[in-house]
Amino acid sequence: MKQRHTAKRIFERLRDEHDFAGGYTVVKDHVRLCRARGRETFVRWHTRRVMRRWILARRRRDRRVRQKIHFLCMDLPQSDACFVKAYPRETTEAFLDGHVSAFAFFGGVPLSILYDNTTIAVAKILGDGKRERTRAFTELCSHYLFRDRFARPAKGNDKGKVEGLVKFSRANFMVPVPHAASFDDLNAVLEERCRARQRDHAGRHAETIGERLVADRAALRPLPAVPLEPCEKRAAGSRRWRSCAIGPTTTRCRPPMASRTWW
């Protein structure tokens, strides 16, 4: 993950970690001068080799392990309220759980959601611009009753708001690299930062993100009485020797369930 400290992020870290009492303009002017000096010198680095050695050395030194993490990002365009959650893998279960968590965080369900053409949601892109949904995504739409919309393939500008959220999250939530004992701890930090962002002003709006979120919530669909269970359902047939293969694991079955197909 790229670690680029923006002037705003440097100011926030100085204020929160070192009790800096100065203003944001002072930091911004200093960063601009430093960047102007830096343009005069060019140094060629073999980035891949240097980064690999540095990570391995860090693992041996303090026994910390760097892990690749996938993030689900959801943005409400009218209020700019955001939700970010981390997962170890990009799976159907993570996709469903991210939606359940995001809807609970926002306090309602959007009337429509714009997606890219992820294979978790799209089984096939049809010729007329429509999409054939996967089974899991169909259950998600049916449970929460929102309308799904899809961006054109390879057209990132169709979903510029959430692309901007990804860039914002990298620059503000992932710099410096977060340290956490578990995904629950990491997601608790990310949720708190999403709530803290609601106190900020986005763009030229006079109201804060949280104040505009109140109007957004009035237009959201109410949450169902029972949330969707974030799991992938597959049909599996048990074998004669009383075992059933589900994904990469094999589970033993009781005698009455042998030689049957079950969910």
Side-chain angles (χ1 to χ4, degrees):
M1 183 182 297
K2 297 179 181 179
Q3 293 289 295
R4 294 178 177 175
H5 276 74
T6 61
K8 181 176 180 291
R9 185 58 180 153
I10 293 173
F11 167 71
E12 291 174 347
R13 294 194 64 192
L14 289 173
R15 180 193 62 194
D16 299 338
E17 300 176 16
H18 301 282
D19 298 327
F20 177 67
Y24 169 65
T25 305
V26 176
V27 178
K28 183 175 66 173
D29 292 342
H30 182 72
V31 170
R32 185 173 65 251
L33 292 175
C34 291
R35 287 177 176 172
R37 291 196 214 103
R39 294 192 187 100
E40 299 176 0
T41 305
F42 297 91
V43 180
R44 179 175 296 178
W45 293 93
H46 297 286
T47 309
R48 184 176 300 177
R49 185 176 302 173
V50 173
M51 285 297 295
R52 184 181 301 154
R53 291 180 179 175
W54 180 77
I55 292 174
L56 291 176
R58 179 164 184 161
R59 286 177 179 173
R60 285 194 292 265
R61 182 174 65 252
D62 55 16
R63 296 183 180 179
R64 293 175 180 173
V65 177
R66 283 199 171 190
Q67 182 176 355
K68 184 177 181 180
I69 299 175
H70 298 263
F71 294 89
L72 183 139
C73 301
M74 189 172 291
D75 178 84
L76 296 181
Q78 299 300 323
S79 62
D80 291 304
C82 67
F83 177 78
V84 180
K85 190 169 184 179
Y87 294 94
R89 291 174 298 277
E90 188 176 348
T91 62
T92 300
E93 292 83 355
F95 181 80
L96 298 177
D97 180 77
H99 281 73
V100 174
S101 301
F103 296 156
F105 177 81
F106 292 133
V109 182
L111 301 183
S112 66
I113 303 178
L114 178 65
Y115 295 91
D116 57 10
N117 295 278
T118 173
T119 55
I120 297 177
V122 179
K124 184 179 180 181
I125 300 178
L126 304 179
D128 55 357
K130 297 182 179 180
R131 307 293 190 271
E132 180 182 334
R133 301 173 181 167
T134 61
R135 177 188 178 91
F137 186 60
T138 300
E139 292 181 356
L140 177 68
C141 297
S142 300
H143 191 88
Y144 287 100
L145 302 177
F146 63 87
R147 184 168 63 93
D148 58 323
R149 298 185 295 122
F150 293 93
R152 294 171 296 173
K155 296 291 184 180
N157 56 327
D158 284 356
K159 52 186 190 309
K161 292 288 291 186
V162 75
E163 295 292 348
L165 172 59
V166 171
K167 183 178 179 180
F168 176 88
S169 301
R170 286 176 176 173
N172 294 273
F173 297 169
M174 315 302 169
V175 177
V177 177
H179 295 267
S182 65
F183 275 91
D184 290 338
D185 293 344
L186 175 59
N187 285 323
V189 173
L190 292 175
E191 182 175 339
E192 179 58 31
R193 292 185 177 179
C194 289
R195 295 189 187 278
R197 185 172 182 256
Q198 296 178 11
R199 298 191 291 268
D200 298 338
H201 295 263
R204 299 181 179 179
H205 294 280
E207 298 177 322
T208 64
I209 294 176
E211 292 170 345
R212 291 157 54 208
L213 178 59
V214 174
D216 250 351
R217 284 174 174 161
L220 296 179
R221 189 184 301 276
L223 292 170
V226 179
L228 177 71
E229 184 178 1
C231 63
E232 184 178 7
K233 302 178 181 65
R234 293 183 182 180
S238 57
R239 301 166 183 170
R240 293 184 178 180
W241 49 88
R242 302 176 183 178
S243 64
C244 178
I246 303 177
T249 61
T250 301
T251 304
R252 295 189 63 83
C253 305
R254 295 181 179 180
M257 302 189 70
S259 301
R260 291 177 55 188
T261 299
W262 48 284
W263 289 92

